Amino acid sequence: MDKICVIGAGSWGTAVACTLTRNGHETVLYMRRKEQYEDMQRTGKNLRYFPELELPKSLKFSNDLKTALDGVTIVILAVSSQGNLNAIKELKELLPSDVIVVNISKGLDREQGLRCSQMMEEFLPDNPFAVLTGPSHAEEVMIQMPTALVCASKNLKVAKQIQELVSNDTMRVYVNEDVIGAELGGALKNIIAFGIGIVDGLGYGDNTKAAIMTRGIAEITRFGVSMGAKVETFSGLAGIGDLIVTCTSMHSRNRRAGILVGKGMSLEQVQAEINMVVEGIVATKVIGEMSQKTGIDMPITHAIYHVLFENGSVQDAVVQLMGREKKHEVETYH
């Protein structure tokens, strides 16, 4: 069995660490905060995210990264996307080149708009890399509800290795070689989920939400293909699958944040209320500015950008979307 280090004891990192432990792998969950480490050692629980749930007794905890990485064959990056760059720079000093790195966060770097694979190419180019993504609320994975994911890697052998590692009776993992598509699908669906939340906050109904989701996946696909992704990826778990789960559930902090904006809260008030990273806000800024520079048509993203960063009203944003030039539904992606 593999020895695995999961870096980041948030909700999703904890859920994946528990899954790997139940699958029989020696797993250590690393967390930076000493207080969290001491609490988990003392209680056997992640009190912030799953206060009612006992973690597997064989799951190990660590507050020392060098010790946590000793002898590992696989590292799971479970920090927020805003923490990926610092985490990868730390790993550069500690990680042998044959250790596989798997990113499970969904988002883009705030400063440069980088995907995790781009950071890896710069700092850990020799380490095999994969992305594990798809419709997967940590709250449901923790109680072992049936879930399907996709693992994407340029090296299909690596993707299949992670597929075997994670799969069990309640977790089905597919493989894919489109890393760019998997990363962008996970990041951009947060923008659309934020928009769905705004629609909920305004009191609009199912018709409106269906329209936003459907045109949202078209927008995600258009941007992804322009960045080198495969169109087919966005019809799968990393695209429409993740979009559905994030847009329809109150587990989604992006949707919850959007609801607050739709009800009239400012961006600062929303961030204080949610008190966690809302990846959709970051992605809206990054992708909104990137698409404007490249001329990629992303009307939903631009409407949300206008509300969040240009003091636009949500009502005006809806009018703007509904009043756009009439067009054919079906488009060809290049």
Side-chain angles (χ1 to χ4, degrees):
M1 287 294 180
D2 289 284
K3 182 177 179 183
I4 305 156
C5 175
V6 178
I7 298 178
S11 58
W12 188 218
T14 302
V16 170
C18 289
T19 299
L20 295 169
T21 304
R22 294 188 188 109
N23 286 0
H25 302 289
E26 183 182 348
T27 307
V28 57
L29 180 60
Y30 165 79
M31 62 221 69
R32 187 178 299 277
R33 287 195 307 111
K34 187 175 182 181
E35 181 185 358
Q36 185 184 24
Y37 168 73
E38 291 173 347
D39 283 345
M40 292 179 78
Q41 286 280 65
R42 177 174 53 84
T43 65
K45 297 178 179 180
N46 190 328
L47 295 175
R48 178 173 181 182
Y49 296 101
F50 309 110
E52 306 300 320
L53 298 178
E54 297 277 352
L55 305 180
K57 295 193 182 305
S58 55
L59 174 61
K60 298 180 175 70
F61 310 120
S62 177
N63 189 228
D64 181 270
L65 185 58
K66 186 175 181 180
T67 302
L69 293 172
D70 185 38
V72 300
T73 53
I74 296 168
V75 168
I76 309 287
L77 275 179
V79 297
S80 78
S81 61
Q82 303 315 307
N84 271 343
L85 187 57
N86 285 336
I88 289 170
K89 286 179 178 178
E90 281 189 86
L91 290 175
K92 179 179 172 62
E93 307 301 322
L94 299 170
L95 211 60
S97 62
D98 60 342
V99 175
I100 297 170
V101 178
V102 183
N103 181 42
I104 63 172
S105 65
K106 300 171 183 176
L108 302 165
D109 172 65
R110 186 192 311 270
E111 300 302 323
Q112 302 176 66
L114 295 175
R115 307 184 311 274
C116 188
S117 61
Q118 293 172 307
M119 302 174 197
M120 286 291 297
E121 286 168 6
E122 181 174 354
F123 294 102
L124 291 169
D126 297 326
N127 288 79
F129 177 74
V131 180
L132 186 67
T133 188
S136 49
H137 290 310
E139 295 84 352
E140 296 183 5
V141 171
M142 279 294 289
I143 57 175
Q144 301 179 69
M145 287 187 176
T147 299
L149 301 173
V150 58
C151 182
S153 176
K154 292 179 181 178
N155 185 333
L156 196 56
K157 183 179 178 182
V158 170
K160 289 180 177 178
Q161 184 176 343
I162 303 306
Q163 179 184 48
E164 290 296 323
L165 187 84
V166 179
S167 296
N168 57 37
D169 289 346
T170 59
M171 183 74 77
R172 181 172 176 82
V173 181
Y174 293 81
V175 295
N176 191 329
E177 293 165 284
D178 182 13
V179 172
I180 297 173
E183 290 180 306
L184 289 177
L188 271 66
K189 56 90 184 179
N190 291 328
I191 300 173
I192 306 305
F194 195 95
I196 290 291
I198 292 175
V199 164
D200 274 323
L202 286 169
Y204 294 150
D206 295 339
N207 294 352
T208 314
K209 287 183 278 190
I212 296 293
M213 289 172 66
T214 305
R215 295 313 304 168
I217 197 66
E219 191 165 302
I220 290 169
T221 304
R222 190 182 307 123
F223 184 88
V225 171
S226 73
M227 295 293 124
K230 296 178 181 177
V231 65
E232 297 85 359
T233 299
F234 301 104
S235 298
L237 292 163
I240 191 68
D242 210 0
L243 181 72
I244 290 169
V245 80
T246 312
C247 288
T248 60
S249 174
M250 285 303 287
H251 288 315
S252 166
R253 73 185 69 153
N254 292 286
R255 181 184 169 206
R256 295 201 314 271
I259 289 171
L260 298 176
V261 169
K263 289 182 175 179
M265 278 195 183
S266 69
L267 183 54
E268 292 73 21
Q269 289 172 320
V270 168
Q271 290 175 318
E273 176 78 17
I274 298 294
N275 197 30
M276 287 188 285
V277 175
V278 180
E279 296 286 6
I281 294 173
V282 178
T284 298
K285 183 166 178 55
V286 170
I287 299 299
E289 292 173 359
M290 196 180 297
S291 61
Q292 285 174 348
K293 288 177 184 176
T294 56
I296 301 167
D297 186 29
M298 301 191 74
I300 298 171
T301 300
H302 293 159
I304 298 170
Y305 185 98
H306 181 60
V307 170
L308 292 181
F309 304 111
E310 297 175 338
N311 296 317
S313 76
V314 289
Q315 290 82 5
D316 286 348
V318 173
V319 170
Q320 175 190 338
L321 284 172
M322 295 302 290
R324 294 180 71 239
E325 180 184 354
K326 299 171 183 65
K327 59 185 290 188
H328 200 292
E329 180 186 29
V330 180
E331 58 188 290
T332 302
Y333 300 103
H334 302 287

